Amino acid sequence: MPQSFSANATVVIYSGGMDSYTVLHRALREGLEVHALSFDYGQRHGRELETARRVCAALEVPHQVIDIRAIHSLIDNSALTDSDRSMPDGDYDADNLTATVVPNRNMMLLSMAIAKAVNIGAGRVDYGAHGGDHVLYPDCRPAFVEAMNAVAGIANFEPVTLHTPYLHSSKAEILADGLAMGLDYRHTWTCYEGAALACGRCGSCRERLAAFAANRASDPLAYAATPESAGASEGREDV
């Protein structure tokens, strides 16, 4: 058990994407002692992790990237962890979403983040589950968060609280909050692909672009295609 336990410290699960980027800055705005935690689980590319490293270095936020690639064979039945599988294009829906589900990902990552919190005496773990993921990902739904929060309260001598500030917010609402904080989203990576430019075709890119459009803001990232140009290209191929 740590010698001191602080309600003013938190571990932020930080992927390098726009949701966790906003969560990270929100915690900093609260004046908390923030410890960022990222995970290399053998995902399709490392662009998000490199982005996370740069952001934390610039902010002087303590940051660890935990190598858990040894479990890759347990979670390789996903387009996000198997580069031999094709990445589905288009908006998120029941038909293409299941290809991007990484089995039990959030339970594993939260368990390790809770361990980190207990180890350093932090009273909280933050992660960016949001309302837009409820239908898509079971481990982002309120019922899952509530259950994990209950476990985090009894699994150790000191309780840890899971903090999900955007659990009932849409992607557009998260972005609106970040823009109000003056955040620069060029320091994030969302695309499921790891090319020089974001693809603009995958569900993650399209959701991001829709959030910027809803806020009447321009995405600072460069894209190989936008949903409109991708749709036009697909139309030509169908002719």
Side-chain angles (χ1 to χ4, degrees):
M1 189 165 31
Q3 294 182 348
S4 61
F5 195 76
S6 175
N8 294 318
T10 186
V11 174
V12 176
I13 297 179
Y14 182 36
S15 70
M18 60 186 294
D19 301 331
S20 61
Y21 177 75
T22 312
V23 170
L24 179 78
H25 280 84
R26 184 169 174 144
L28 289 170
R29 296 270 176 135
E30 289 182 50
L32 298 177
E33 177 189 332
V34 173
H35 299 261
L37 194 61
S38 305
F39 298 92
D40 182 352
Y41 52 85
Q43 50 265 60
R44 196 177 184 97
H45 62 78
R47 287 291 300 271
E48 278 188 321
L49 294 178
E50 288 304 319
T51 299
R53 287 188 180 97
R54 289 195 298 270
V55 167
C56 289
L59 293 171
E60 297 183 341
V61 169
H63 180 223
Q64 285 182 277
V65 178
I66 307 302
D67 186 349
I68 55 172
R69 287 176 294 174
I71 70 167
H72 186 262
S73 63
L74 305 179
I75 57 171
D76 61 359
N77 189 25
S78 168
L80 296 191
T81 51
D82 182 358
S83 58
D84 291 333
R85 296 182 62 172
S86 60
M87 181 63 66
D89 291 337
D91 295 327
Y92 285 133
D93 59 38
D95 292 332
N96 70 17
L97 163 56
T98 53
T100 66
V101 173
V102 178
N104 212 31
R105 175 172 56 183
N106 280 346
M107 184 179 287
M108 292 184 290
L109 304 190
L110 283 167
S111 293
M112 286 180 278
I114 292 166
K116 167 76 173 178
V118 172
N119 192 54
I120 64 174
R124 204 169 92 178
V125 166
D126 292 21
Y127 89 113
H130 66 84
D133 283 341
H134 291 177
V135 174
L136 310 178
Y137 298 108
D139 57 3
C140 289
R141 295 173 185 166
F144 172 82
V145 174
E146 291 166 10
M148 282 298 292
N149 198 34
V151 170
I154 62 174
N156 299 281
F157 289 112
E158 296 288 355
V160 174
T161 299
L162 298 186
H163 185 61
T164 51
Y166 298 116
L167 186 59
H168 300 286
S169 302
S170 68
K171 194 88 163 183
E173 289 169 333
I174 298 172
L175 178 60
D177 197 21
L179 293 174
M181 286 190 276
L183 302 187
D184 185 350
Y185 285 91
R186 78 183 66 247
H187 303 303
T188 64
W189 186 262
T190 302
C191 183
Y192 284 150
E193 303 287 357
L197 301 179
C199 73
R201 294 174 173 267
C202 69
S204 189
C205 279
R206 293 170 74 96
E207 184 185 42
R208 175 184 172 123
L209 287 165
F212 274 93
N215 281 279
R216 298 187 178 184
S218 297
D219 190 339
L221 289 187
Y223 287 82
T226 63
E228 292 78 12
S229 64
S233 174
E234 288 161 4
R236 286 194 297 270
E237 289 172 0
D238 290 340
V239 172

